[in-house]
mmCIF file of all heavy atoms in Angstrom:
data_model
loop_
_atom_site.group_PDB
_atom_site.id
_atom_site.type_symbol
_atom_site.label_atom_id
_atom_site.label_comp_id
_atom_site.label_asym_id
_atom_site.label_seq_id
_atom_site.Cartn_x
_atom_site.Cartn_y
_atom_site.Cartn_z
ATOM 1 N N ASN A 9 54.732 130.326 91.489
ATOM 2 C CA ASN A 9 53.587 130.928 90.603
ATOM 3 C C ASN A 9 54.358 131.595 89.602
ATOM 4 O O ASN A 9 55.100 132.702 89.665
ATOM 5 C CB ASN A 9 53.019 132.047 91.609
ATOM 6 C CG ASN A 9 52.079 132.913 90.821
ATOM 7 O OD1 ASN A 9 51.661 132.728 89.678
ATOM 8 N ND2 ASN A 9 51.644 134.067 91.482
ATOM 9 N N LYS A 11 52.888 133.228 87.063
ATOM 10 C CA LYS A 11 52.230 134.317 86.544
ATOM 11 C C LYS A 11 52.011 134.272 85.068
ATOM 12 O O LYS A 11 51.861 133.174 84.509
ATOM 13 C CB LYS A 11 52.925 135.561 87.023
ATOM 14 C CG LYS A 11 53.276 135.692 88.447
ATOM 15 C CD LYS A 11 53.685 136.915 88.938
ATOM 16 C CE LYS A 11 53.894 136.737 90.506
ATOM 17 N NZ LYS A 11 54.209 138.014 91.269
ATOM 18 N N HIS A 95 44.952 136.289 94.604
ATOM 19 C CA HIS A 95 46.380 136.875 94.562
ATOM 20 C C HIS A 95 46.272 138.354 94.517
ATOM 21 O O HIS A 95 45.337 138.967 93.854
ATOM 22 C CB HIS A 95 47.048 136.270 93.385
ATOM 23 C CG HIS A 95 48.632 136.635 93.386
ATOM 24 N ND1 HIS A 95 49.071 137.829 92.905
ATOM 25 C CD2 HIS A 95 49.620 135.936 93.727
ATOM 26 C CE1 HIS A 95 50.425 137.921 93.083
ATOM 27 N NE2 HIS A 95 50.644 136.764 93.628
ATOM 28 N N GLU A 97 47.658 140.436 92.738
ATOM 29 C CA GLU A 97 47.608 141.029 91.376
ATOM 30 C C GLU A 97 46.065 140.845 90.840
ATOM 31 O O GLU A 97 45.712 141.693 90.002
ATOM 32 C CB GLU A 97 48.564 140.244 90.357
ATOM 33 C CG GLU A 97 50.000 140.800 90.868
ATOM 34 C CD GLU A 97 51.124 139.822 90.559
ATOM 35 O OE1 GLU A 97 50.986 138.810 89.854
ATOM 36 O OE2 GLU A 97 52.249 140.049 91.049
ATOM 37 N N GLU A 167 51.107 137.254 101.721
ATOM 38 C CA GLU A 167 52.028 137.902 100.786
ATOM 39 C C GLU A 167 51.839 139.495 100.903
ATOM 40 O O GLU A 167 50.952 140.011 100.298
ATOM 41 C CB GLU A 167 51.687 137.552 99.328
ATOM 42 C CG GLU A 167 51.749 136.123 99.039
ATOM 43 C CD GLU A 167 51.913 135.879 97.514
ATOM 44 O OE1 GLU A 167 51.047 136.162 96.752
ATOM 45 O OE2 GLU A 167 52.967 135.325 97.234
ATOM 46 N N ALA A 171 56.161 143.620 99.139
ATOM 47 C CA ALA A 171 57.249 142.579 98.982
ATOM 48 C C ALA A 171 57.213 141.798 97.761
ATOM 49 O O ALA A 171 58.138 140.978 97.415
ATOM 50 C CB ALA A 171 57.358 141.712 100.176
ATOM 51 N N ILE A 172 56.109 141.899 96.986
ATOM 52 C CA ILE A 172 55.910 141.098 95.873
ATOM 53 C C ILE A 172 56.661 141.727 94.559
ATOM 54 O O ILE A 172 56.317 142.886 94.116
ATOM 55 C CB ILE A 172 54.412 140.947 95.511
ATOM 56 C CG1 ILE A 172 53.845 140.239 96.567
ATOM 57 C CG2 ILE A 172 54.225 140.175 94.085
ATOM 58 C CD1 ILE A 172 52.320 139.793 96.334
ATOM 59 N N GLY A 173 57.551 141.035 94.080
ATOM 60 C CA GLY A 173 58.283 141.382 92.852
ATOM 61 C C GLY A 173 59.223 142.713 93.071
ATOM 62 O O GLY A 173 59.732 143.300 92.082
ATOM 63 N N THR A 174 59.451 142.980 94.390
ATOM 64 C CA THR A 174 60.167 144.326 94.730
ATOM 65 C C THR A 174 61.618 144.060 95.113
ATOM 66 O O THR A 174 62.425 144.994 95.218
ATOM 67 C CB THR A 174 59.469 145.092 95.713
ATOM 68 O OG1 THR A 174 59.392 144.236 96.931
ATOM 69 C CG2 THR A 174 58.141 145.568 95.366
ATOM 70 N N GLY A 210 54.920 134.562 101.022
ATOM 71 C CA GLY A 210 55.214 134.984 99.697
ATOM 72 C C GLY A 210 55.638 136.522 99.485
ATOM 73 O O GLY A 210 55.048 137.300 100.161
ATOM 74 N N GLY A 211 56.637 136.740 98.650
ATOM 75 C CA GLY A 211 57.023 138.160 98.389
ATOM 76 C C GLY A 211 58.661 138.062 98.432
ATOM 77 O O GLY A 211 59.211 138.118 99.471
ATOM 78 N N SER A 212 59.042 137.987 97.104
ATOM 79 C CA SER A 212 60.673 138.135 97.032
ATOM 80 C C SER A 212 61.370 136.991 97.684
ATOM 81 O O SER A 212 62.372 137.146 98.170
ATOM 82 C CB SER A 212 61.100 139.405 97.386
ATOM 83 O OG SER A 212 60.677 140.522 96.495
ATOM 84 N N VAL A 213 60.718 135.805 97.711
ATOM 85 C CA VAL A 213 61.398 134.624 98.302
ATOM 86 C C VAL A 213 62.466 134.114 97.274
ATOM 87 O O VAL A 213 62.250 134.125 96.177
ATOM 88 C CB VAL A 213 60.449 133.430 98.703
ATOM 89 C CG1 VAL A 213 61.290 132.305 99.047
ATOM 90 C CG2 VAL A 213 59.391 133.858 99.687
ATOM 91 N N LEU A 231 55.229 130.850 98.632
ATOM 92 C CA LEU A 231 54.603 131.045 97.348
ATOM 93 C C LEU A 231 55.678 131.940 96.632
ATOM 94 O O LEU A 231 55.873 132.984 97.022
ATOM 95 C CB LEU A 231 53.282 131.573 97.423
ATOM 96 C CG LEU A 231 52.514 131.875 96.039
ATOM 97 C CD1 LEU A 231 52.359 130.566 95.351
ATOM 98 C CD2 LEU A 231 51.144 132.437 96.441
ATOM 99 N N VAL A 232 56.249 131.413 95.598
ATOM 100 C CA VAL A 232 57.394 132.059 94.970
ATOM 101 C C VAL A 232 57.038 132.505 93.659
ATOM 102 O O VAL A 232 56.629 131.723 92.829
ATOM 103 C CB VAL A 232 58.474 131.049 94.873
ATOM 104 C CG1 VAL A 232 59.860 131.705 94.414
ATOM 105 C CG2 VAL A 232 58.792 130.255 96.184
ATOM 106 N N GLY A 233 57.336 133.713 93.194
ATOM 107 C CA GLY A 233 57.011 134.215 91.878
ATOM 108 C C GLY A 233 58.326 134.172 91.141
ATOM 109 O O GLY A 233 58.707 133.126 90.570
ATOM 110 N N GLY A 234 59.084 135.233 90.921
ATOM 111 C CA GLY A 234 60.243 135.384 90.096
ATOM 112 C C GLY A 234 61.173 134.302 90.224
ATOM 113 O O GLY A 234 61.651 133.797 89.180
ATOM 114 N N ALA A 235 61.518 133.921 91.420
ATOM 115 C CA ALA A 235 62.614 132.982 91.667
ATOM 116 C C ALA A 235 62.125 131.532 91.402
ATOM 117 O O ALA A 235 62.890 130.489 91.432
ATOM 118 C CB ALA A 235 63.207 132.986 93.070
HETATM 119 P P1 PGA B 301 57.627 137.326 93.873
HETATM 120 O O1 PGA B 301 56.170 137.048 93.815
HETATM 121 O O2 PGA B 301 58.346 136.025 94.525
HETATM 122 O O3 PGA B 301 58.213 137.605 92.474
HETATM 123 O O4 PGA B 301 57.826 138.517 94.814
HETATM 124 C C1 PGA B 301 55.436 136.341 94.778
HETATM 125 C C2 PGA B 301 54.127 136.164 94.312
HETATM 126 O O5 PGA B 301 53.504 137.140 93.604
HETATM 127 O O6 PGA B 301 53.337 135.057 94.661
#
Side-chain angles (χ1 to χ4, degrees):
N9 172 14
K11 310 193 177 185
H95 189 279
E97 287 151 15
E167 301 203 299
I172 296 180
T174 57
S212 299
V213 173
L231 181 55
V232 187

